[in-house]
Amino acid sequence: MPAYLISQIEVHDPKGYEEYRKLVCASLAKYGGKFVARGGRIDVLEGDWNPKRVVICEFESLARARQWYESPEYQPAMDIRQKTSEAKIIVVDGI
């Protein structure tokens, strides 16, 4: 069953965050992940949720998404992301 990693991100250092963007793709691909949405326009339909940036990645399973997130390949990128932005991240099973 596919799984979707959904991130709400607020970038506070755009120049530094560009380094993250350069690193993340290779680690994501190694674990079979792919971007479904990556910081595009957001149109709020209901409620007061108004994130600055939303990223959605698809993986073959929830377990595979967690393997990527905890992988040594992703850690250098994660360190940069955590220094240059604030994020809320979840993984949800697809259908």
Side-chain angles (χ1 to χ4, degrees):
M1 163 182 321
Y4 298 90
L5 183 135
I6 304 168
S7 305
Q8 174 183 322
I9 302 170
E10 186 161 347
V11 177
H12 54 76
D13 176 359
K15 186 174 180 178
Y17 192 80
E18 284 302 313
E19 290 302 311
Y20 168 76
R21 291 184 67 179
K22 291 175 187 175
L23 292 176
V24 70
C25 292
S27 68
L28 193 67
K30 181 172 181 176
Y31 287 83
K34 66 179 181 179
F35 288 107
V36 176
R38 191 175 186 189
R41 185 175 61 124
I42 297 169
D43 188 7
V44 178
L45 300 177
E46 287 190 36
D48 61 359
W49 187 34
N50 196 15
K52 305 289 187 212
R53 179 179 178 81
V54 174
V55 176
I56 302 172
C57 299
E58 181 180 48
F59 288 87
E60 66 185 43
S61 67
L62 197 141
R64 194 68 168 153
R66 182 168 286 283
Q67 287 173 348
W68 167 75
Y69 183 81
E70 296 173 350
S71 74
E73 293 87 359
Y74 180 58
Q75 294 311 300
M78 181 193 290
D79 290 344
I80 293 168
R81 181 184 50 76
Q82 290 176 337
K83 291 175 185 170
T84 61
S85 67
E86 292 192 29
K88 296 178 182 177
I89 302 171
I90 62 169
V91 181
V92 60
D93 277 330
I95 53 173

